[in-house]
Structure formats: structure tokens, C-alpha cells
């Protein structure tokens, strides 16, 4: 899906993307190139070079998103360059790099109602924002295992993670260089 100037997808049911790309969309006045209010999963998919209001993927209150072997690269938003979450997200393996938010959460903005149920085998690098270079968390965030934060930056606070919610780090989370929570 390339070059659309509108929301690409609204979901109220169950949908699974396997393979492919979501790229070069400019929906700067809309929440998400992909808007989800149902059950959505991505496998082996790249979502990159999109410009949106909030999150290249916007997950609403009733939304459940599963991500496996996914890449989010060079997306730009006000909040949550890659993901804006109000529902539930499970993230298993992937890379999120060079995403930018002019507000908060360079890669992920997790709202107070949001739950990042699990992040494992993921790498966050070179994401930038005001607060929370990689992740801005107001809700619940669970870093389960093997998550790397490298060279993320915030102009205000939380180069890697800015947290005002609940956070659990179970094992093998790596923060470098000068990353802060």
C-alpha cells in the first residue's frame, strides 16, 4: 500500500497481514495509516516512511494488535511515530528505528488506557521525540525479554522510555548509550 492520502484501513473485525509493506502515505491530519478497533495482526511486514497525526498504526480502545517480525522505519507523527496505542499490543520480534514524534513517543505512545502486554526480541534505535525517545508510557508496559534500546533521544526527558504508568522489565533489556528511563 503506497502513496495514499487517506486512512488505508479501518478494522472492526479480525484481519491478518502477512508480508508486504505499508509505505509512503501522507495522512498528516488523520490518526494512523492503519486504524484498528478490532483484532489485527502483522507478520513479516514493513511499515515505513509514513506521515500521520498520531501513530502509523493507531490502535483504539477496543483494539488488539499482534506484531511478529515487523519493521517500523522512518515514520513521522505528532505522538507515537510508529504506534499510538489505547488498546492492547503484543510485540514479538522486530525493529523500530528512525521514527520521529514532534510531541511524545518517537516510536510508541502508550496512552493511559493502553496496555503493551509484551515486548520481546525487539530493537528500538534512533527514535526521537519530546519525551520518551523510544516509548512514552502512561498505561501498562511489559518488557518481557531481549529488548534493546540504542541511541534513542528525547529533547525533554526519557531518552529511551518516559514512564508515568506501570512498567515491568523481566529480563535482558539493554539500554545504550546514555539511555534513560
Amino acid at each position: 500500500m503506497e502513496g495514499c492520502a487517506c486512512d488505508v484501513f479501518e478494522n472492526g473485525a479480525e484481519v491478518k497481514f502477512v508480508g508486504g509493506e505499508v509505505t509512503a502515505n501522507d495522512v498528516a491530519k488523520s490518526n494512523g495509516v492503519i486504524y484498528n478497533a478490532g483484532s489485527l495482526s502483522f507478520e513479516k511486514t514493513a511499515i515505513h516512511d509514513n506521515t500521520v497525526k498520531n501513530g502509523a498504526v493507531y490502535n483504539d480502545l477496543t483494539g488488539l494488535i499482534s506484531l511478529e517480525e515487523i519493521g517500523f522505519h522512518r515514520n513521522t507523527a505528532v505522538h507515537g511515530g510508529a504506534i499510538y496505542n489505547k488498546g492492547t499490543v503484543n510485540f514479538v520480534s522486530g525493529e523500530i528505528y528512525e521514527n520521529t514524534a514532534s510531541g511524545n513517543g518517537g516510536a510508541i505512545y502508550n496512552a493511559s488506557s493502553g496496555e503493551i502486554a509484551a515486548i520481546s526480541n525487539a530493537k528500538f534505535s534512533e527514535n526521537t521525540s519530546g519525551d520518551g525517545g523510544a516509548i512514552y508510557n502512561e498505561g501498562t508496559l511489559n518488557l518481557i525479554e531481549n529488548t534493546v534500546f540504542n541511541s534513542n533521544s528525547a529533547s525533554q526527558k526519557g531518552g529511551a522510555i518516559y514512564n508515568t504508568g506501570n512498567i515491568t522489565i523481566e529480563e535482558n533489556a539493554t539500554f545504550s548509550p546514555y539511555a534513560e528511563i
Side-chain angles (χ1 to χ4, degrees), residues 2 18 28 34-35 41-42 54 61 64 67 84 92 97 119 125 128 148 154 158-159 168 171 177 180:
E2 186 173 336
V18 179
I34 296 173
Y35 173 91
S41 65
F42 291 95
N54 291 315
L61 287 167
L64 169 62
L67 306 167
Y84 188 99
V92 178
Y97 64 85
I119 295 178
S125 59
T128 60
V148 175
T168 302
E171 59 184 82
E180 58 183 77

Side-chain angles (χ1 to χ4, degrees), residues 57-175:
V57 173
Y58 186 94
N59 194 38
D60 216 338
L61 287 167
T62 58
L64 169 62
I65 293 180
S66 297
L67 306 167
E68 187 172 342
E69 295 182 49
I70 188 138
F72 286 96
H73 316 134
R74 297 177 305 276
N75 296 291
T76 302
V78 175
H79 298 296
I83 300 168
Y84 188 99
N85 181 48
K86 292 170 107 179
T88 302
V89 173
N90 290 301
F91 187 103
V92 178
S93 80
E95 293 187 356
I96 300 182
Y97 64 85
E98 297 177 6
N99 295 283
T100 302
S102 58
N104 299 322
I108 298 174
Y109 185 102
N110 192 39
S112 60
S113 61
E115 178 183 11
I116 308 291
I119 295 178
S120 62
N121 301 308
K123 182 176 182 182
F124 293 81
S125 59
E126 300 181 44
N127 298 290
T128 60
S129 72
D131 286 326
I135 300 173
Y136 182 89
N137 181 52
E138 293 177 334
T140 300
L141 172 63
N142 296 299
L143 301 177
I144 304 300
E145 62 184 356
N146 302 325
T147 303
V148 175
F149 293 87
N150 185 40
S151 300
N152 297 284
S153 62
S155 61
Q156 302 294 315
K157 297 177 183 172
I161 300 171
Y162 181 88
N163 181 56
T164 61
N166 299 308
I167 185 170
T168 302
I169 300 174
E170 290 192 16
E171 59 184 82
N172 296 335
T174 304
F175 298 87

Side-chain angles (χ1 to χ4, degrees), residues 8-69:
V8 172
F9 191 77
E10 266 192 59
N11 178 24
E14 291 184 33
V15 174
K16 183 174 186 174
F17 287 97
V18 179
E21 296 179 89
V22 178
T23 185
N25 295 283
D26 187 348
V27 288
K29 294 182 180 179
S30 296
N31 288 326
V33 173
I34 296 173
Y35 173 91
N36 180 53
S39 179
L40 180 60
S41 65
F42 291 95
E43 257 182 58
K44 300 176 184 173
T45 304
I47 300 172
H48 61 92
D49 298 300
N50 297 289
T51 301
V52 295
K53 180 177 176 185
N54 291 315
V57 173
Y58 186 94
N59 194 38
D60 216 338
L61 287 167
T62 58
L64 169 62
I65 293 180
S66 297
L67 306 167
E68 187 172 342
E69 295 182 49

